[in-house]
Every structure is written in structure tokens, then in C-alpha cells.
Amino acid sequence: MSTKTGQKRKSRQPGLPRKKAKTVHQTADELAWKTVARPREADFGAGYEALLDLEEVDNVEVVYEATEAGKVVRFKAASKEEQEVLCENEETQLDVSEYFSAGEEVAAVVAPSMDEPNNEDATQVPPFDVENLLPNWREFSLHPQLNRAVYAQKFSKPTPIQAEALPLAMQGRDIVGVAETGSGKTLAYGLPILQLLLTEASVSGTSGRPGRRPVRALILAPTRELALQVSTHLNACLNSVEGLASEDAQNVKQEETDTSPVTKGKGKARAKGKNARKQDSSTSTSSGAAKSKPPPLVSVAAIVGGMSAQKQKRILSRGVDVLVATPGRLWDIIQEDNELADQIENLRFLVLDEADRMIETGHFAEMDNILRLTMRFPKEDGAESEPATGLEGSVEPEESKEGVKKGDLQTFVFSATLSKDLQRNLKRRQRPKKRKNDKPASTLDDLLLRLDFRDASPAVIDISPVGGVVATLQESKVECLASDKDAYLYYFLLRYPGRTLVFLSSIDGIRRLLPLMDLLGLPAFPLHSQLEQRQRLKNLDRFKATPNAVLLATDVAARGLDVPAVDHVVHYQVPRAADGYVHRNGRTARASRRGFSLLLCAPDERRLVRALLGSLGRQEEEIPEMPVELYLLDKLKARIQLAREVDTAQHKVRKEKHERNWLKTTAEAMEIELDSDFETPTDDEGRSAPSKRKSKAAEAKTAALKAELKELLAQPLVARGISTRYITSGSRSIADEMLAGQLNEQMVGLMKVEAGTDLVPAKKRKPKAKAKQDFEEWEGLGE
Ligand SMILES: Nc1ncnc2c1ncn2[C@@H]1O[C@H](COP(=O)(O)OP(=O)(O)OP(=O)(O)O)[C@@H](O)[C@H]1O
């Protein structure tokens, strides 16, 4: 399955004789697009192949015509058919560079392609030996394709949320699922959806289905990254049997069928898939199967921002069974696509993933509009909905024992942080009762209570840990002055090497910290909303690929991002709300792996920490303190001080150069000859002596500071009591530990330990001394 998000369009091949081609006007969709190789510079690495595929088209001329509706684009293509269709969208000219520079505003689509391996033969998927290979999944009777995918991804057993949600979802129940971050919620709702769609498609087949296939499942996600991730995750279940074929094929019956198109992987495996396809076609030419490319059995696509409306429509028109979308972009498309609106009205599955975040991203209105389409009877302000009429499907619905009608919409709401109150209200479908002086119900309450659950009593599965803490997460904190946070962070990074995600509350903070990290020789990458999407993904990729890398991020990275192997999360600033703390921590300790979080808390943030933990039903003292060798910390402070000076000096030199260049360029543009008093040129020749001296001095100062920093960084950081000259002397001999490789590589004399293994319990705070008069006893009036 291929994914396409960008596009490169050639209007006409140079040198093509225009007159010879018989041209007709076509829409962008009707042109004969061909996939072209992705340039190396556009390679974002594993997991993000979805973001850019290129297409080109030959023998097409683009012409602009003025109409009453404004300027429109027409495509003149050499073709046999003589038709003229108006293409109204200027976006059809979008090319790759526009896509990159357009940042957040443009839309991207991850979508199935017809020329990739498809699972058309899923009806012939060989039986899977679930008894022996996946005994823990046996009871769910998954479709063989899903069993194979689960096996290929080495998911030996369902996670607790999956184990609870799957049977209920397969009974047709609506589900409100709350489980810790990284606990496999995506498949908890994804597997039941794919199970039903694969089973239905296996029975009915797809090739014969006429017209546009309707969207059966809609998954709404709050961020572009999360939506792409969900779609990739689900696609992996439809395709990823590659690993199985190579590693464990001998265990699986009818192994030869693993190389059928049904079992091809996506993403990295695509190249292999193509080769295999070539072989397939060479061996099966008689059947002609390789030539005809029917649509995939079940297709998953994400509409998340990044490309033209034309392309999105084209993807949808090919038929998408599971649509993963962010609400804003989806609503834009629905407004222009009545057919899609109809399909949303007749969905089989509706999923809200990280619903609470969707409100924060400001998509309330769009999400509300989309949800209205899914209601049986649009209702006012959360009023109780009417019961189902039974007219929804062509088949008479059957009552299940829970009162759910077969074929009805099933709604799944999942998050790691849905409040207990909201869960109860969702279940009862009640607005919280308003009492006098009550705060208004939250926007999220309002929104979710608009959901028209078909299930009289949606199942609530809440297996979120008490206080939001994942069992494999070790938390800690350091109380320090705000001005010392850099030093503590530096200390942490050297003391406990590992992949570390540092959350800051402002982009300015990231911009300040980044050069410091660079000067201190730490591999750090930024991630925030002002970076172009391309850069964001690139940095994420570098972070994944670099050992001990540091990602400096705002809360844009707090939810849903499933970056494997994040060892540590550092809250450089305390998050503003409790769920922010839970979700940030959730980027580590995922899928039962160990993880560690450190909260850097300045004195003025302590109240916030107390409130935040209080709302999670916890106390400040529960979070142990990270031990710090103050002797070494002082040495690190000296390094940081020097690095700051270098940064300031460099900044000054850069600023001066920039100003000189600006003056020169402006003068040239205005055709003004600058007075000799002005130092205009950037080259040394034309500049005045004092100016040259000044900048030379600044550059020399920077160079000297840099040399000083280099020297300081080269000096080993030695813990107190350790002799580096004679490793068997000093107050502690480190010879044996050195030989055993037990020592930290950055800090001489400290043991190599994982973060979290040497924590000290937090100090109990003394209760504030009561005011004196409290202790003075009334002794009555003297006689
Ligand atoms: N049964 C399983 N066994 C092992 N790993 C699994 C299983 N199911 C999913 N995973 C893996 O666990 C990781 C986390 O899954 P997922 O992203 O669905 O978590 P989540 O609960 O949605 O997290 P968040 O709340 O942060 O969005 C993914 O890398 C996924 O591949």
C-alpha cells in the first residue's frame, strides 16, 4: 500500500510539440498521474514515509482562464476523449516546495494506492496456527490477517485494555476506554474495526463493488502526528506479515502463501514488496492478476493537513474504509463533499482518540459539526436522543442481549485522562447537574455528551492507574532555582545517558537552550509548532536515530506520539495541568517498558505542583528526589556560564554582520550611494578601519571564549574524593570498578546506574508553625 502526501506536477515536457498533441480539458483527478521516485532529501526516515510521495504527469499544459467565478485553472491533456471540465481549485498547482513551506495550513493524506500490493486475496488468507503461535489471542478469534500481523509485530499477548475492550467491541458495544499512556489503545479500538471490515469484505469481496466505497469507520485524532501514527499502526495490521515471512515462516502452515500480495509490508518493506510483486507477475501472467489492480480489501487513509483538496478528494474517491482525520481538515472537505457527509451519517464506527486534547487544539466547532452528522436525530444541547428506528440499514437489525442493534453505529471514546465524572456522565448520557455556584460544565463534557451512543449503556473500561502513574514509570523531582535549571538538566543528561525528551513551556525557551546544548556537545533537536512540518518530522527522526539524543519540545509532542525507546522525560517547566503531566510522562514507559521522569521545580512552581498532584489524588512527598553530586554540579555551572558567554558573543557577531548586510542590501535596492561614513560592504576592503577593528575584536573574543570552553569541556569531571592520577589512591579506589566497566563514562568516580535506581525519598515538609495565639490557652479571668 503506498501513501501519498505531496505532489510534483509537470505542466508540460520541455520540447513537446504542442500542435501535435490532441488536447482536451480535464480535471486534475482525471490526468494520468505516475508515481516518481522520492528524492533523497525528502527522506524522513522510517515511520514517516507516508508524508511524501511524488507524482508527475506528462503531456499536460496548464492554462488559466478568467471566469465569472474568478481565475480558474484548466488542464489540457493529450487524450482521445474530447471533454472539457473545469478545474476550480487553484491548489491543484501545488508542488513539493509549496507543500513544504505551507506548514500547518496545508493538508497531507496518507492513503492507499492502487498500484501497491493489496489484500484482495484476503479471502484466501491461509489459516493461521493461532493455537501454537498466539495462544493468548486465541479467544478473540481474530481474522487470520490480523493474527498474522499481531504475530509479525511480536505482540505475544493483548495488553489489558485490549483484552477488555476486544470482546465488548466485538459484541457491538459502545466503549469509553481509559487506560494509561502507551498501553495499546489504538489496537483496542482498531482491531475490532478491522476485524469486522475484513470479515465482511472476505465474505462479500470488494472487486465487484460498484462505485465509491463508503467510509465505514471514522477515527478523529487531535493532532496531525497522532492521526498519521494511528493510520500507520492500522495499516501495519493490514500489511505487516513481512517479518513473519522471513523469520517464522517455517512455523506457519502454507508458508508459501506469505509472499502473496496479501502479505506484503508497507513502508520500509515496500521495496521488497515491489520485487516480490515483479516475481508474482512473472509467475502469474496467465491469470492476468498482476495486470488488474482491484482496490484493497480494507483501506485506511489519514487526512491531516498538507496537500490540496483535489488530492484528498481523489483519495476518498478511490474508496477509504477507515478514515483517520483531524477535525478541522475533515470538516473542510465534508462541506464540499455531500457524498462524504452522507457516508459520515451512516458510519459503522466512530472513534474519538484523545478526545480531551481535541478541545485544546481549538477544533470544538468542527468536531461538533462532524458529531452532529453521526446523530440519529440532531438534538439540542445534549438532550437524550431518540431510540433507533431500525431504518439505518437495509437488513432488519437484530437486538443483542445488551440492546445493541446489529449494524448500528458503534462509538469508541479513548483517552488516558478522562475524568471519572465525565465517564459517569457519558455512561448515563447526562449533563452534570448544575447547582448554584457550580462552575459551568467543561467544553469537553459538552462535546462528548453530544455523542449519540446507540448502546443504552456504553461499557466503561477504566484501567487507568491511580494518579495517572504507569507502573513501569519512575518519577522524581529536583527543587532548584529557575536560574539553575540548565545546570541540573545538564547534570541529568551526563549522569544518566539515554534518549531524553525535555518539555519546555515556551518556544523561546527552546531557542535559548538549543545553542547551549550544542556548545556543550549534546545532540539536541527542537520540536515546536513554529517549525515547518518537514523539519518537525526530520528532528523526530534524528532524535530516534541518535543514541542519547535530546528532544527539546513544547507540548505539541505531549500526546499520542509513540517514539520508541524514550528513556527519560524531563519537565523543564511544570506543566499547567494534571493531564499534561500524565501525557508528557506517557512518552516514556510505553508498552510495559521502563521509563523515568524528572520534574524540575522552581520555588514559584511549588504551588502549581501541589495543585497538579492534588488533582491526581497525590501528594508532593510521593515524588522522590533525584540525588545530585553538588560538587560536580558546581563544575557544570562553570561550563554553562562559559557556554552562555560564547553564545552571547556569537550572537553579537552574527547580529552585526546581519545589520551590515541589511544596510548594504537596502542601499542597493534603493539605488542609494552610502556616504563613506557608513560601513556598507561586507567584504573587508571597503570598510572603515575602526569598524574593521571592532568586528575583528568581537570575533577574536568569541574565538577565545570558544577555545576556553573547549578546554574546560576536555577536563574530566571528577567526583570528590577520587584521584585521577592514581586510581588506587584518593579516599576511594576506583580501579576495580573501572576494570569491571561499572563507572559512568562522563563523570569519573560515579557508578553507571540507570535513572531512578538511586532516588531518595522526598523530605517531609514541616507543617507551617501555627500562629502563636493558637497555642496560648485561655486561662480565664484571674480571681
Ligand atoms: N499487544 C501488544 N503487545 C505489545 N505491544 C503492543 C501491543 N499493542 C500495541 N503495542 C505497542 O505499544 C505501543 C503503544 O501503543 P499505542 O500508541 O496504541 O498506545 P496508547 O495507549 O494509544 O498511548 P497514548 O495514550 O500515549 O496515545 C505501540 O508501539 C504499539 O505498537
Side-chain angles (χ1 to χ4, degrees):
M1 185 170 288
S2 102
T3 51
K4 297 176 179 182
T5 56
Q7 46 189 324
K8 171 188 160 189
R9 298 185 174 188
K10 283 186 192 170
S11 59
R12 188 170 60 87
Q13 271 194 341
L16 180 80
R18 272 193 208 179
K19 278 181 191 167
K20 282 185 189 166
K22 186 181 175 187
T23 60
V24 293
H25 290 167
Q26 294 185 326
T27 63
D29 286 346
E30 290 161 338
L31 301 176
W33 293 102
K34 288 184 291 187
T35 301
V36 291
R38 188 187 320 184
R40 209 146 55 90
E41 58 273 23
D43 185 12
F44 302 139
Y48 293 100
E49 301 87 350
L51 274 177
L52 180 71
D53 264 8
L54 305 179
E55 289 179 301
E56 65 177 12
V57 64
D58 293 333
N59 301 349
V60 174
E61 190 184 349
V62 180
V63 287
Y64 297 88
E65 276 188 24
T67 68
E68 281 178 9
K71 205 158 99 175
V72 296
V73 180
R74 289 171 190 272
F75 296 114
K76 281 184 171 183
S79 161
K80 284 177 195 153
E81 297 156 58
E82 298 227 335
Q83 48 175 323
E84 184 165 302
V85 193
L86 218 58
C87 175
E88 292 172 348
N89 203 324
E90 287 178 2
E91 283 180 279
T92 47
Q93 302 150 58
L94 193 72
D95 69 7
V96 179
S97 57
E98 283 173 45
Y99 162 57
F100 285 149
S101 61
E104 303 276 336
E105 294 309 311
V106 248
V109 168
V110 181
S113 153
M114 296 304 104
D115 50 20
E116 288 292 319
N118 60 67
N119 41 10
E120 62 167 320
D121 291 328
T123 45
Q124 293 137 42
V125 173
F128 182 84
D129 185 3
V130 70
E131 296 284 330
N132 289 319
L133 298 176
L134 285 178
N136 296 314
W137 289 89
R138 192 181 43 203
E139 62 177 290
F140 305 105
S141 309
L142 291 177
H143 188 278
Q145 169 70 26
L146 297 179
N147 274 332
R148 284 170 178 277
V150 162
Y151 186 72
Q153 291 174 83
K154 300 192 172 62
F155 297 161
S156 61
K157 59 177 193 290
T159 63
I161 184 75
Q162 292 165 359
E164 293 217 25
L166 280 172
L168 293 167
M170 287 176 184
Q171 282 168 26
R173 302 285 307 275
D174 287 344
I175 294 176
V176 176
V178 190
E180 63 193 31
T181 49
S183 59
K185 293 189 285 295
T186 314
L187 290 191
Y189 64 74
L191 285 178
I193 294 175
L194 298 180
Q195 168 77 5
L196 184 111
L197 299 186
L198 279 168
T199 311
E200 280 187 0
S202 298
V203 173
S204 62
T206 51
S207 4
R209 280 194 236 165
R212 170 169 157 180
R213 282 154 62 182
V215 174
R216 309 290 313 284
L218 171 64
I219 300 167
L220 291 173
T223 64
R224 183 189 299 190
E225 280 89 351
L226 183 54
L228 286 170
Q229 195 176 281
V230 168
S231 129
T232 306
H233 207 9
L234 298 187
N235 266 315
C237 288
L238 294 170
N239 300 282
S240 74
V241 200
E242 193 94 2
L244 178 65
S246 54
E247 283 175 34
D248 306 292
Q250 69 277 19
N251 294 326
V252 185
K253 290 174 189 170
Q254 301 183 7
E255 91 175 68
E256 64 281 2
T257 50
D258 282 345
T259 52
S260 75
V262 183
T263 61
K264 285 297 162 291
K266 60 180 252 106
K268 276 185 182 169
R270 204 177 289 160
K272 285 188 196 168
K274 276 185 178 163
N275 290 340
R277 235 176 22 257
K278 270 185 199 159
Q279 281 175 11
D280 285 344
S281 54
S282 64
T283 52
S284 62
T285 38
S286 58
S287 71
K291 281 180 205 157
S292 63
K293 289 169 186 167
L297 200 64
V298 172
S299 61
V300 180
I303 294 190
V304 292
M307 68 169 288
S308 79
Q310 288 296 326
K311 176 124 186 175
Q312 291 166 346
K313 284 175 193 162
R314 196 157 65 236
I315 304 283
L316 286 166
S317 69
R318 283 175 187 168
V320 174
D321 300 291
V322 181
L323 185 61
V324 193
T326 45
R329 194 65 188 188
L330 178 62
W331 182 242
D332 284 350
I333 299 178
I334 288 177
Q335 281 171 295
E336 293 178 7
D337 186 343
N338 287 338
E339 201 177 341
L340 181 60
D342 288 345
Q343 292 174 8
I344 304 291
E345 284 176 10
N346 293 294
L347 284 175
R348 179 64 183 77
F349 295 99
L350 170 68
V351 183
L352 304 190
D353 196 354
E354 304 286 2
D356 38 352
R357 172 71 207 270
M358 236 143 354
I359 310 304
E360 288 169 30
T361 51
H363 288 313
F364 183 87
E366 291 94 338
M367 188 147 119
D368 190 33
N369 288 335
I370 297 166
L371 294 185
R372 275 172 193 279
L373 290 176
T374 67
M375 290 174 192
R376 284 163 293 184
F377 299 99
K379 55 189 177 182
E380 283 308 310
D381 256 3
E384 197 74 14
S385 58
E386 298 294 324
T389 58
L391 298 173
E392 290 79 11
S394 53
V395 187
E396 192 61 26
E398 290 166 25
E399 290 276 343
S400 78
K401 62 175 184 279
E402 286 79 18
V404 185
K405 291 186 177 63
K406 204 175 162 193
D408 255 357
L409 172 76
Q410 266 182 277
T411 304
F412 305 143
V413 179
F414 278 79
S415 182
T417 47
L418 278 188
S419 77
K420 297 266 184 261
D421 270 358
L422 182 53
Q423 290 171 41
R424 270 192 296 275
N425 291 331
L426 270 177
K427 198 170 155 69
R428 290 196 223 120
R429 284 181 283 168
Q430 275 177 6
R431 298 178 122 258
K433 287 205 171 62
K434 272 193 189 160
R435 275 175 259 128
K436 222 181 171 186
N437 301 333
D438 254 7
K439 278 192 227 152
S442 76
T443 321
L444 178 67
D445 285 24
D446 270 358
L447 184 75
L448 294 189
L449 292 170
R450 285 172 187 277
L451 287 173
D452 183 9
F453 288 111
R454 309 306 201 250
D455 193 336
S457 173
V460 174
I461 307 169
D462 182 359
I463 49 174
S464 56
V466 182
V469 188
V470 175
T472 51
L473 174 76
Q474 177 66 64
E475 298 165 281
S476 78
K477 67 168 187 276
V478 160
E479 286 177 15
C480 61
L481 294 175
S483 54
D484 285 345
K485 283 189 175 183
D486 289 353
Y488 279 95
L489 174 64
Y490 187 27
Y491 178 90
F492 176 79
L493 296 173
L494 293 185
R495 180 75 185 95
Y496 306 105
R499 205 162 277 120
T500 304
L501 178 44
V502 182
F503 283 104
L504 290 100
S505 54
S506 74
I507 298 173
D508 279 353
I510 295 178
R511 291 197 178 122
R512 185 190 63 77
L513 209 49
L514 198 63
L516 278 191
M517 296 269 159
D518 192 36
L519 288 166
L520 294 169
L522 296 165
F525 309 103
L527 188 78
H528 54 76
S529 59
Q530 282 181 16
L531 286 177
E532 277 179 22
Q533 184 67 13
R534 179 178 60 153
Q535 197 57 48
R536 274 158 73 165
L537 296 174
K538 215 172 192 171
N539 289 351
L540 252 182
D541 226 29
R542 286 178 180 156
F543 174 62
K544 285 187 210 169
T546 316
N548 303 336
V550 183
L551 190 69
L552 301 174
T554 56
D555 279 315
V556 82
R559 295 231 186 190
L561 268 197
D562 184 38
V563 179
V566 173
D567 302 298
H568 316 127
V569 162
V570 177
H571 306 264
Y572 188 93
Q573 275 110 12
V574 174
R576 273 167 296 163
D579 59 346
Y581 181 66
V582 172
H583 282 283
R584 282 178 175 190
N585 281 347
R587 296 320 101 208
T588 181
R590 294 177 74 74
S592 307
R593 277 189 287 266
R594 281 167 58 91
F596 178 83
S597 88
L598 170 66
L599 185 66
L600 296 178
C601 177
D604 61 349
E605 289 174 312
R606 284 217 25 235
R607 270 180 55 174
L608 187 55
V609 171
R610 272 198 296 271
L612 185 149
L613 292 174
S615 69
L616 293 170
R618 305 177 61 197
Q619 290 187 341
E620 206 186 353
E621 288 79 28
E622 282 177 32
I623 301 191
E625 280 171 21
M626 187 185 78
V628 174
E629 286 267 335
L630 294 175
Y631 175 72
L632 288 178
L633 189 80
D634 285 341
K635 294 188 176 186
L636 297 186
K637 280 183 185 170
R639 288 180 172 191
I640 286 181
Q641 182 52 34
L642 197 49
R644 280 191 194 133
E645 284 173 33
V646 174
D647 185 40
T648 313
Q650 279 181 338
H651 185 69
K652 226 169 145 183
V653 171
R654 271 197 304 267
K655 199 172 157 209
E656 203 206 323
K657 268 193 187 149
H658 175 78
E659 276 167 9
R660 252 189 283 133
N661 283 345
W662 179 84
L663 199 61
K664 185 186 174 206
T665 326
T666 314
E668 276 172 7
M670 295 170 78
E671 294 178 358
I672 295 173
E673 220 170 273
L674 283 170
D675 196 279
S676 61
D677 289 348
F678 287 96
E679 312 111 24
T680 54
T682 44
D683 56 320
D684 279 353
E685 298 315 308
R687 287 171 55 202
S688 65
S691 156
K692 268 193 263 177
R693 264 202 306 277
K694 211 171 117 195
S695 47
K696 279 235 164 78
E699 276 163 23
K701 187 184 166 198
T702 312
L705 284 170
K706 270 179 127 173
E708 202 183 328
L709 178 64
K710 196 174 165 197
E711 202 179 313
L712 197 57
L713 291 177
Q715 286 172 20
L717 290 162
V718 187
R720 196 190 285 277
I722 304 294
S723 163
T724 41
R725 188 175 293 206
Y726 302 109
I727 52 173
T728 49
S729 67
S731 58
R732 200 182 113 218
S733 159
I734 55 167
D736 291 342
E737 291 155 355
M738 256 180 123
L739 285 173
Q742 292 167 339
L743 291 180
N744 181 299
E745 278 151 23
Q746 303 279 347
M747 296 173 158
V748 181
L750 295 191
M751 302 299 282
K752 198 187 265 178
V753 283
E754 266 186 43
T757 46
D758 52 354
L759 299 181
V760 283
K763 288 174 230 117
K764 280 242 179 251
R765 314 251 162 211
K766 281 190 199 146
K768 273 189 189 160
K770 286 190 180 175
K772 203 178 167 215
Q773 58 268 30
D774 284 356
F775 295 99
E776 279 178 355
E777 282 186 21
W778 168 249
E779 291 177 353
L781 291 166
E783 296 263 359

